[in-house]
Amino acid sequence: MFSLKKPSKQKKKPKKTKYQKKKTKQRFGRKKQKAKKNQKTKKLIFEKRLPDDLRIHVNTPAIHKVLGNLIDNAIKYSLEGGKIALSAEKEGDFCRMTVTDNGIGISEKDLPHVFERFYRADKARSRHMGGTGLGLAIVKHLVQAHGGEVEARSELGQGSQFSFTLPLAE
């Protein structure tokens, strides 16, 4: 499992990762509640399309980090009165979970680099909004550790869509 601890502390035997079968609606639902506080400040509209019957095989704390980061970024980079959509759908043996916003978007030049560690698309905005540039790199690492993939689509001035796949529970 990924760790931000000092390398000297990482030499200890890693803890066994626990995976659980969870409904996708539960995973997105908890993160949406946490985001409600920030939603009121910017008057954001949240939409969700989450089927009741999709079950995924996940390490719950890890996927909370993934969803938390993607939703927090959508809130952070959305304009006042913007919309954030949360969705999940079956895609073969996987579930594709997607967070979409109609915020400021990411330039075509920056898009291939957003999952790199410490990469910040807009250096000037970074100072004002905070963050380290590690969030999306951690998202990528955690999703890949689950056997999934992550991708980003965006258009400057139109918004962004971040999606990832996770194996369906048997």
Side-chain angles (χ1 to χ4, degrees):
M1 195 50 77
F2 185 80
S3 175
L4 292 176
K5 293 179 183 175
K6 293 180 182 178
S8 62
K9 295 195 181 214
Q10 289 183 13
K11 291 180 183 177
K12 293 179 183 175
K13 214 174 196 178
K15 292 180 183 175
K16 185 167 172 86
T17 304
K18 294 180 184 176
Y19 287 86
Q20 302 170 325
K21 294 178 183 179
K22 295 288 182 176
K23 289 185 177 183
T24 56
K25 201 166 193 170
Q26 289 174 318
R27 298 304 97 211
F28 264 133
R30 288 213 175 110
K31 287 297 151 191
K32 183 179 179 253
Q33 286 174 343
K34 184 180 175 194
K36 276 190 175 185
K37 183 171 65 173
N38 295 324
Q39 172 189 0
K40 289 178 183 176
T41 308
K42 285 189 167 184
K43 299 179 180 126
L44 299 173
I45 298 165
F46 273 87
E47 263 182 24
K48 63 179 182 173
R49 294 179 303 277
L50 307 170
D52 287 324
D53 61 342
L54 275 181
R55 293 178 63 85
I56 50 179
H57 192 240
V58 297
N59 172 270
T60 302
I63 295 309
H64 279 178
K65 285 181 186 176
V66 169
L67 290 170
N69 182 276
L70 295 178
I71 293 170
D72 287 347
N73 282 353
I75 292 168
K76 188 187 299 186
Y77 295 107
S78 287
L79 304 173
E80 189 169 324
K83 183 171 84 172
I84 296 171
L86 313 172
S87 65
E89 61 187 356
K90 185 177 179 184
E91 197 173 272
D93 292 337
F94 289 85
C95 171
R96 177 168 297 279
M97 301 179 92
T98 304
V99 178
T100 306
D101 67 66
N102 63 349
I104 62 172
I106 302 166
S107 75
E108 194 175 322
K109 173 188 83 135
D110 290 315
L111 198 55
H113 305 286
V114 295
F115 294 107
E116 295 174 10
R117 291 185 323 155
F118 304 111
Y119 190 81
R120 298 299 305 247
D122 185 345
K123 308 321 182 236
R125 191 178 293 263
S126 312
R127 282 184 230 108
H128 171 66
M129 296 183 134
T132 61
L134 285 173
L136 292 176
I138 293 169
V139 163
K140 180 180 177 181
H141 177 81
L142 292 174
V143 169
Q144 288 177 339
H146 279 79
E149 295 179 3
V150 64
E151 69 177 330
R153 295 179 181 167
S154 188
E155 192 174 326
L156 200 56
Q158 299 298 309
S160 301
Q161 181 182 71
F162 286 85
S163 65
F164 61 95
T165 58
L166 295 171
L168 290 171
E170 298 168 1

